[in-house]
Amino acid sequence: MSKDYQAGTPRRVGQVKEVTSLTNPIVKDIKALTQKKGREESGTFMAEGLKLVIDALELGWTIRTLVYAKAAKGKPLVEKVATKTVASGGLVLEVNEKVISSITRRDNPQMVVGIFEQKWRPLRDIQPSESQTFVALDRVRDPGNLGTIIRTADAAGASGVILIGDCTDPFSLETVRATMGSVFAVPVTRASVDEFLQWKKQSGVNLVATHLAGSVDYRTIAYKGKPVVLMMGNEQSGLPEELASKADRLARIPQQGRADSLNLAVATAVMLFEARRHLLDLELRT
Ligand code: SAM
């Protein structure tokens, strides 16, 4: 990291800088956020697009750096977020297209990129109430799946996503892209298997695990009356016994055809919207 700038260092006085060189140390530090190590060291991540940056600021996320392409200069909304960034002690970078392409690793980049502080909701802070639904993911590996699940959880009104064990990073560029902004709306928690099972015991949730060998049709489960956690297995190996055996229900989504399972994000969407249908008391009508 360069001495005069760290993507994750809080700043007291906001500044605006013009940067045109790919070898500029600030640009190098921002590019390091495409790697997990860079994100972990700085505690920050990158989100592309003006709408996402505006949404994030409205939802109270802390912006460390705003990067915009020269072509976006003078646009009222860009000026507004730049003013907010400086006012909150952040850095504003005006860059050329070459720099913004290299930061986002895209040929046709977004004109605006925000660097935000990561936020994780501690497991102990989740005290679920009756009508809440959570998604718990066991060792999710694919960033596209995780992003799609966070986006779907948002759309289905879920209250959070819990990552169990060694999961892909919700703040990677690929995952953030796939969330389409929902990463700013859905609280994400991480936990070990033991921490999760301990929390499950204390919190009184109905743990509905999905499993290809599940004994219960997912449509026949009571999703009301208690907070629900929908637990989903790893893409390759499914749920391990130590998690599946602790579930209150082992649900199966009946399938036809030759596919042996549904894609993880698709299965999660099916479960989330079924739980939502029960919670909203929607009756099937002909
Ligand atoms: N080969 C894996 C296995 O044996 O479980 C397939 C995993 S599947 C791609 C990923 C996850 O999606 C599963 O662990 C389960 O949570 C969920 N899933 C996919 N299809 C399902 C189905 N028909 N019924 C219940 N859960 C399903």
Side-chain angles (χ1 to χ4, degrees):
M1 292 261 163
S2 61
K3 280 201 190 122
D4 64 335
Y5 171 81
Q6 277 193 310
T9 307
R11 316 177 71 86
R12 256 184 256 130
V13 183
Q15 317 173 27
V16 183
K17 283 181 187 236
E18 195 179 333
V19 175
T20 51
S21 162
L22 290 179
T23 57
N24 181 297
I26 302 177
V27 172
K28 281 191 174 167
D29 287 346
I30 293 176
K31 284 171 73 174
L33 298 180
T34 56
Q35 305 300 314
K36 192 162 189 222
K37 186 165 173 269
R39 293 191 296 276
E40 274 176 358
E41 279 176 9
S42 65
T44 62
F45 69 105
M46 197 189 300
E48 300 152 281
L50 180 59
K51 182 181 178 302
L52 251 66
V53 171
I54 292 171
D55 286 353
L57 291 174
E58 277 172 4
L59 288 167
W61 287 66
T62 304
I63 189 162
R64 289 284 176 84
T65 305
L66 176 78
V67 184
Y68 66 79
K70 279 201 174 94
K73 191 177 179 174
K75 297 201 170 163
L77 286 174
V78 176
E79 294 295 324
K80 203 171 158 190
V81 288
T83 305
K84 272 195 178 178
T85 304
V86 173
S88 63
L91 176 67
V92 175
L93 295 183
E94 187 184 311
V95 301
N96 55 24
E97 199 168 321
K98 189 178 60 177
V99 169
I100 208 155
S101 284
S102 102
I103 286 174
T104 58
R105 302 199 284 186
R106 282 199 165 189
D107 288 339
N108 291 308
Q110 295 272 358
M111 292 290 109
V112 175
V113 170
I115 313 299
F116 291 90
E117 286 179 12
Q118 295 182 13
K119 264 198 233 177
W120 295 89
R121 172 157 70 178
L123 190 60
R124 64 176 175 278
D125 287 0
I126 308 181
Q127 287 160 3
S129 58
E130 198 185 303
S131 59
Q132 287 186 310
T133 304
F134 295 82
V135 175
L137 301 172
D138 153 52
R139 296 164 300 145
V140 55
R141 302 306 309 161
D142 183 76
N145 274 344
L146 177 55
T148 305
I149 290 169
I150 292 173
R151 179 180 177 186
T152 311
D154 185 14
S159 300
V161 171
I162 302 169
L163 304 178
I164 308 172
D166 186 17
C167 290
T168 194
D169 183 359
F171 297 113
S172 72
L173 200 52
E174 297 87 336
T175 308
V176 171
R177 273 177 192 157
T179 71
M180 298 293 285
S182 293
V183 70
F184 294 114
V186 177
V188 178
T189 299
R190 52 187 163 185
S192 66
V193 170
D194 288 348
E195 287 165 346
F196 175 76
L197 291 176
Q198 188 59 38
W199 172 83
K200 189 257 171 203
K201 255 198 238 164
Q202 294 160 355
S203 58
V205 296
N206 183 10
L207 182 59
V208 178
T210 56
H211 203 291
L212 300 187
S215 52
V216 190
D217 183 318
Y218 79 110
R219 291 163 295 191
T220 64
I221 291 171
Y223 297 93
K224 280 171 86 169
K226 267 182 167 194
V228 170
V229 176
L230 304 171
M231 185 161 67
M232 315 297 300
N234 166 269
E235 290 98 332
Q236 266 77 49
S237 53
L239 272 183
E241 187 52 25
E242 64 177 333
L243 284 170
S245 63
K246 299 296 187 311
D248 299 301
R249 291 280 180 277
L250 221 45
R252 176 179 35 86
I253 305 168
Q255 292 183 208
Q256 295 213 346
R258 290 177 60 87
D260 62 1
S261 66
L262 294 169
N263 160 274
L264 169 62
V266 171
T268 310
V270 169
M271 294 302 294
L272 274 166
F273 278 94
E274 181 66 9
R276 180 171 168 78
R277 189 173 74 77
H278 285 241
L279 285 170
L280 295 177
D281 257 337
L282 294 179
E283 305 250 321
L284 294 174
R285 299 206 177 94
T286 51

